[in-house]
């Protein structure tokens, strides 16, 4: 597609469950980013991929969070043992190379009940 | 961690008015980006700035990369109702983060004057 696509757009899960959030970047973009946005806040960096490898995962809050990008295109953000505090909008972005304009998807709104 | 101070937090606009907002940082940034976010959507890139002193326009929007590399402003001229939304500045710090790690401000919320 023309833009960054994220699925699902909304996800409600029970506390303690495992969830996967998917991101399809713009075709040809080598850099991919995950951000988390809480209500009333700006996006906060989680992890950044250059190709298949995680170039910077310093924003992942703890070891319950993990992300992969096995073929250098689609990425999956995985959250284990979800907690209510994980509720937020998870945004994915991509760019043609790191440090240039990043284009965002519409986000996945995760609600942990 | 590094933070961006974005002001004002919110403002009301009347159609036709000019609007200004700015972002400051305690550290030097390589890149400044301005985004607009509508409810239920992801941020949309408005303007990207890469050099200190750079002044860039995109239609009615003008943004500048401060000479000190620690600040940036965004101006909107002759505002229209569809300018309503939340505007975020984002920067890529020179030190203390990877090239892919953008720091975002908390946003400036533009609303229509009642």
């Amino acid at each position: 597609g023309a833009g960054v696509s994220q699925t699902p757009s909304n996800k409600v899960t029970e506390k303690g469950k495992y969830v996967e959030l998917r991101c399809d970047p713009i075709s040809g973009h080598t850099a991919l980013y995950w951000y988390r946005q809480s209500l009333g806040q700006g996006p906060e960096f989680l992890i950044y991929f250059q190709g298949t490898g995680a170039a910077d995962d310093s924003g992942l809050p703890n070891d319950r969070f993990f992300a992969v990008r096995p073929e250098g295109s689609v990425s999956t953000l995985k959250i284990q043992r979800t907690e209510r505090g994980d509720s937020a909008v998870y945004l994915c972005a991509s760019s043609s190379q790191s440090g240039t304009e990043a284009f965002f998807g519409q986000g996945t709104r995760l609600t942990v009940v | 961690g590094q933070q961006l101070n974005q002001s004002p937090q919110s403002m009301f606009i009347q159609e036709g008015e000019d609007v200004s907002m700015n972002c400051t940082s305690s550290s030097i940034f390589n890149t400044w980006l301005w985004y607009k976010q509508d409810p239920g959507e992801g941020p949309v890139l408005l303007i990207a700035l890469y050099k200190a002193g750079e002044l860039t326009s995109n239609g009615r929007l003008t943004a500048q990369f401060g000479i000190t590399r620690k600040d940036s402003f965004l101006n909107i001229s002759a505002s229209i109702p569809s300018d309503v939304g939340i505007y975020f500045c984002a920067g890529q710090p020179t030190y203390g983060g990877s090239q892919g790690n953008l720091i975002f401000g908390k946003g400036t919320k533009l609303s229509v004057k009642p």
Side-chain angles (χ1 to χ4, degrees):
Chain A
V4 177
S5 176
Q6 290 187 246
T7 53
S9 54
N10 279 285
K11 176 72 177 177
V12 180
T13 191
E14 292 181 346
K15 178 175 177 297
K17 298 287 189 185
Y18 167 82
V19 295
E20 288 189 351
L21 312 179
R22 177 188 167 105
C23 173
D24 274 280
I26 292 172
S27 178
H29 279 191
T30 57
L32 184 145
Y33 319 82
W34 283 99
Y35 285 79
R36 178 167 72 172
Q37 186 175 25
S38 301
L39 194 63
Q41 302 294 318
E44 291 181 294
F45 172 79
L46 294 176
I47 186 169
Y48 144 60
F49 288 89
Q50 186 61 251
T52 61
D56 181 353
D57 64 358
S58 61
L60 294 177
N62 51 60
D63 61 7
R64 294 186 299 104
F65 288 75
F66 189 71
V68 296
R69 195 186 184 200
E71 297 177 358
S73 179
V74 170
S75 176
T76 305
L77 178 66
K78 308 181 181 194
I79 310 174
Q80 298 177 321
R81 304 182 305 280
T82 51
E83 300 176 358
R84 293 199 178 88
D86 298 335
S87 297
V89 175
Y90 289 81
L91 294 164
C92 177
S94 69
S95 66
S96 58
Q97 55 184 313
S98 66
T100 61
E101 296 110 13
F103 296 89
F104 282 82
Q106 84 283 6
T108 293
R109 180 176 296 279
L110 176 66
T111 305
V112 182
V113 296
Chain B
Q2 299 187 42
Q3 290 186 337
L4 292 182
N5 297 311
Q6 189 171 348
S7 65
Q9 284 186 336
S10 63
M11 58 194 309
F12 289 91
I13 59 171
Q14 193 152 33
E15 189 169 354
E17 286 181 341
D18 294 346
V19 171
S20 286
M21 61 192 77
N22 68 81
C23 248
T24 60
S25 168
S26 57
S27 53
I28 293 171
F29 276 53
N30 282 332
T31 303
W32 285 97
L33 305 168
W34 285 92
Y35 288 87
K36 178 175 184 266
Q37 187 173 29
D38 292 325
E41 301 292 326
V44 174
L45 182 67
L46 300 173
I47 293 180
L49 302 159
Y50 298 104
K51 292 183 188 176
E54 180 180 353
L55 184 71
T56 298
S57 292
N58 177 7
R60 294 178 295 104
L61 278 59
T62 302
Q64 185 159 29
F65 192 144
I67 291 289
T68 64
R69 296 171 66 188
K70 292 183 178 181
D71 63 327
S72 176
F73 71 74
L74 175 71
N75 286 344
I76 305 172
S77 62
S79 57
I80 59 178
S82 62
D83 290 335
V84 162
I86 301 178
Y87 291 79
F88 290 100
C89 62
Q92 186 184 71
T94 303
Y95 304 108
S98 68
Q99 285 191 318
N101 185 338
L102 287 178
I103 311 295
F104 278 79
K106 292 189 175 183
T108 294
K109 184 176 180 180
L110 254 58
S111 306
V112 175
K113 269 183 190 172

